[in-house]
Amino acid sequence: MLRAFTGRLIALRREHSILRRESWRDGLEIRWLSPGGGEQTDTQWQDEDNMTIGLRLSRKQPAEEGWDDVLILFNPQDVDISFVLPDRTA
């Protein structure tokens, strides 16, 4: 099961250039989001109980391949956490 999951992650990275940056100066916008859907605040970063976050990667110029916008949610807890999805145009 873990092997299949890892294989799918590798395939996603291969298929979508937004997941494999060649330069930190490529114009990719990176936003860290709270479960409430807004930007992660300094207070939330300091809160040890706040472990669920979202990572949004956006590209203004269309990609040659794959996605131009991706949202990755991280939830290390043993319970489901509700996450408000941000507006796609934001």
Side-chain angles (χ1 to χ4, degrees):
M1 191 160 149
L2 181 58
R3 182 173 287 193
F5 176 75
T6 304
R8 182 64 185 132
L9 289 178
I10 292 169
L12 279 172
R13 188 170 185 268
R14 206 177 289 131
E15 295 165 11
H16 303 282
S17 62
I18 198 167
L19 299 174
R20 57 174 198 280
R21 298 175 74 177
E22 294 183 23
S23 168
W24 291 106
R25 297 182 178 145
D26 59 6
L28 191 66
E29 182 180 311
I30 300 170
R31 294 177 56 206
W32 292 98
L33 304 173
S34 71
E39 295 270 345
Q40 185 83 350
T41 66
D42 289 339
T43 302
Q44 290 167 322
W45 280 115
Q46 300 304 320
D47 182 357
E48 293 178 9
D49 295 326
N50 181 30
M51 298 184 290
T52 302
I53 58 174
L55 169 63
R56 184 174 184 174
L57 304 173
S58 302
R59 183 182 289 137
K60 293 182 184 192
Q61 299 296 323
E64 294 178 16
E65 59 180 321
W67 303 318
D68 295 323
D69 195 41
V70 65
L71 177 64
I72 304 168
L73 305 178
F74 301 94
N75 178 19
Q77 302 189 49
D78 292 335
V79 297
D80 291 341
I81 301 291
S82 295
F83 204 106
V84 176
L85 299 179
D87 183 14
R88 186 135 190 215
T89 60

